[in-house]
């Protein structure tokens, strides 16, 4: 066994396994509130078209507060973090902390970053472009397009829409792709660093994995988007990464967003450290990694400014027509609320909406790969936006009962995101929040533990 890792105690392994099969997309506990939703007449049963907030309290960018809140993330224990905030024509960028623990190189606001599952929004846009052209029917069974990939009843019952909103009932391929990940994660990750996966292999692993939830109920699975990539390949005749690059990334004019062709990133970037909840100690750099294990589900590299530009164009209707954008924003509940509480986190087609502590709803996505996390949120009109990136993953720890302990980094991230979106310091204090669970941005490092 590698001396820098240790085997997880049995209770923790069981907790991690449950977390690896969890249905949450990214955020664990979300602020309770009333869902401002209306039924979409063309939506399938169980879905809702959500109208998120377009306002931002009339607050302009408070650069001093943004700088202080970003530095607070680093002071809470994050190695390095950087952020881009936008309010109309006003913008702010900041960075705090370290990009490389060995050299003490500081992190920069313009760094490229592995953005993980934010890739899913790009992939969903590409699929919806083909829907607009009549080549894909959202409510057609996937077996119509890929009859050999998902044989039998599942292929006939799972629709394209179910893949994109994670209601397919399919398991996730991640644990199968990384044997031993729960026992010795450092060894498991090192063994696959330069391994090239075929997407069909990943789908086979996902099909063999336990179903995280019944079909029709949201349960996050990367395998859904690997299949979506194969669907794009079938109907366009191009590899999904090639099609998305030409028809989504270039259409949006993004200059620093790309699918890496090798395990190496081409532009300036921070090292990306994975702790796996203390099972890899000290945390190890995985910025060099073959990303074929997630492909169109999570392999994109981008910058915070590119992501703000992408979501602004998407939400303003520049990348999709009205019907396709409406379909993308037709959501299903992404978590089960506590008794007496409302659903405050809903997932559409590669895009989600959630209620932040300021009481308002925002659109976006988050992403995490080994060592790198990213969180992007926008008002519905795309006027107010924030993208936050960081380079230490799964820094939290579990107690003896397998419950995740609160970590000051999470509270600091939440405060920065809330302030960036136009909230006030009062919005981030528990006394100012509505009744119910307090939002906590354990994003990509909590309920989805090993999958995002």
């Amino acid at each position: 066994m590698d001396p820098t890792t240790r085997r997880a105690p049995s209770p923790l392994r069981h907790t991690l396994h449950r977390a690896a099969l969890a249905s949450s997309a990214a955020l664990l506990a979300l602020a309770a509130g009333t869902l401002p939703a209306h039924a979409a007449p063309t939506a399938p049963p169980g879905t809702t078209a959500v109208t998120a907030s377009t306002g931002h309290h009339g607050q302009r960018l408070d650069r001093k507060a943004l700088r202080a809140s970003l530095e607070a993330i680093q002071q809470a224990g994050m190695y390095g973090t950087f952020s881009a905030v936008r309010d109309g024509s006003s913008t702010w960028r900041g960075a705090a902390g370290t990009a490389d623990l060995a050299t003490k190189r500081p992190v920069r606001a313009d760094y490229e970053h592995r953005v993980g599952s934010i890739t899913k929004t790009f992939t969903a846009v590409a699929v919806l472009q083909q829907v607009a052209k009549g080549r894909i029917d959202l409510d057609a069974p996937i077996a119509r397009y890929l009859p050999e990939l998902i044989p039998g009843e599942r292929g006939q019952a799972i629709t394209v829409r179910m893949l994109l909103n994670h209601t397919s009932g399919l398991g996730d391929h991640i644990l199968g792709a990384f044997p031993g990940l729960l026992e010795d994660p450092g060894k498991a990750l090192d063994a696959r660093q330069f391994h090239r996966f075929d997407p069909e292999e990943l789908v086979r692993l996902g099909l063999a994995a336990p179903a995280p939830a019944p079909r029709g109920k949201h349960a996050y699975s990367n395998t859904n988007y690997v299949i979506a990539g194969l669907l794009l390949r079938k109907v366009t005749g191009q590899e999904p990464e090639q099609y998305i690059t030409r028809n989504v990334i270039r259409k949006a004019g993004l200059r620093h967003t790309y699918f890496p062709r090798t395990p190496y990133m081409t532009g300036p970037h921070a090292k990306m450290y994975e702790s796996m909840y203390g099972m890899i100690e000290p945390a190890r750099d995985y910025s060099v990694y073959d990303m074929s294990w997630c492909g169109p589900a999570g392999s994109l590299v981008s910058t915070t400014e590119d992501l703000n530009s992408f979501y602004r164009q998407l939400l303003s209707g520049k990348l999709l027509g009205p019907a396709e954008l409406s379909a993308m924003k037709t959501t299903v509940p992404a978590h089960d609320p506590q008794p007496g509480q409302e659903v405050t986190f809903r997932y559409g087609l590669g895009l989600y909406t959630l209620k932040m502590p300021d009481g308002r709803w925002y659109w976006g996505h988050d992403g995490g790969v080994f060592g790198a996390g990213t969180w992007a949120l926008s008002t519905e009109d795309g006027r107010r936006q924030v993208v936050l990136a960081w380079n230490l993953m799964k820094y939290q720890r579990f107690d003896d009962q397998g419950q995740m302990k609160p970590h000051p980094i999470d509270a600091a991230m939440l405060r920065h995101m809330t302030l960036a979106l136009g909230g006030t310091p009062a919005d981030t204090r528990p006394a100012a929040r509505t009744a119910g669970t307090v939002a906590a941005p354990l994003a990509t490092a909590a309920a989805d533990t090993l999958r995002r």
Side-chain angles (χ1 to χ4, degrees), residues 224-398:
N224 289 322
Y225 274 75
V226 175
I227 297 169
L230 292 172
L231 172 62
L232 281 172
R233 186 172 73 181
K234 180 64 177 287
V235 300
T236 68
Q238 303 175 47
E239 291 299 321
E241 293 85 357
Q242 182 183 51
Y243 178 86
I244 295 167
T245 298
R246 291 176 175 175
N247 296 278
V248 181
I249 295 172
R250 291 181 184 171
K251 182 176 181 179
L254 308 181
R255 301 180 59 188
H256 304 285
T257 301
Y258 61 93
F259 289 98
R261 297 181 180 179
T262 75
Y264 299 88
M265 297 167 61
T266 60
H269 60 276
K271 290 193 172 183
M272 300 170 188
Y273 297 93
E274 178 62 51
S275 175
M276 197 65 77
Y277 308 108
M279 294 166 64
I280 301 177
E281 191 173 2
R284 192 176 303 171
D285 171 35
Y286 288 107
S287 55
V288 175
Y289 215 90
D290 189 304
M291 299 302 293
S292 60
W293 63 269
C294 54
S299 62
L300 265 186
V301 171
S302 190
T303 64
T304 54
E305 286 197 323
D306 262 15
L307 291 180
N308 272 340
S309 178
F310 169 69
Y311 280 106
R312 182 167 67 253
Q313 293 182 66
L314 173 62
L315 292 169
S316 62
K318 294 181 179 179
L319 301 181
L320 291 173
E324 288 70 43
L325 183 57
S326 177
M328 193 175 208
K329 293 166 67 177
T330 299
T331 62
V332 296
H335 70 103
D336 293 322
Q338 296 296 320
Q341 295 180 2
E342 300 291 333
V343 173
T344 55
F345 183 18
R346 303 184 64 90
Y347 201 96
L349 307 185
L351 185 72
Y352 64 57
T353 184
L354 63 87
K355 191 175 187 179
M356 290 290 281
D358 62 0
R360 297 173 181 267
W361 290 79
Y362 299 92
W363 290 99
H365 212 288
D366 65 275
V369 295
F370 304 116
T374 314
W375 195 5
L377 290 177
S378 299
T379 53
E380 186 164 39
D381 60 2
R383 177 176 177 83
R384 191 83 184 216
Q385 299 182 283
V386 57
V387 175
L388 177 67
W390 58 96
N391 71 339
L392 170 64
M393 287 296 285
K394 304 180 191 69
Y395 46 80
Q396 298 96 336
R397 298 294 183 266
F398 290 93

Side-chain angles (χ1 to χ4, degrees), residues 85-104:
V85 183
R86 177 181 174 274
D87 181 12
S89 60
S90 299
T91 60
W92 176 88
R93 292 192 309 176
T98 304
D100 186 329
L101 297 182
T103 66
K104 307 303 181 184

Side-chain angles (χ1 to χ4, degrees), residues 21-34:
L21 300 177
S23 62
S24 161
L27 308 172
L28 269 190
L30 299 169
T34 303

Side-chain angles (χ1 to χ4, degrees), residues 98-121:
T98 304
D100 186 329
L101 297 182
T103 66
K104 307 303 181 184
R105 168 171 54 96
V107 72
R108 289 187 354 215
D110 63 347
Y111 272 169
E112 293 180 354
H113 199 62
R114 297 194 188 275
V115 301
S117 285
I118 287 176
T119 309
K120 291 180 174 66
T121 313

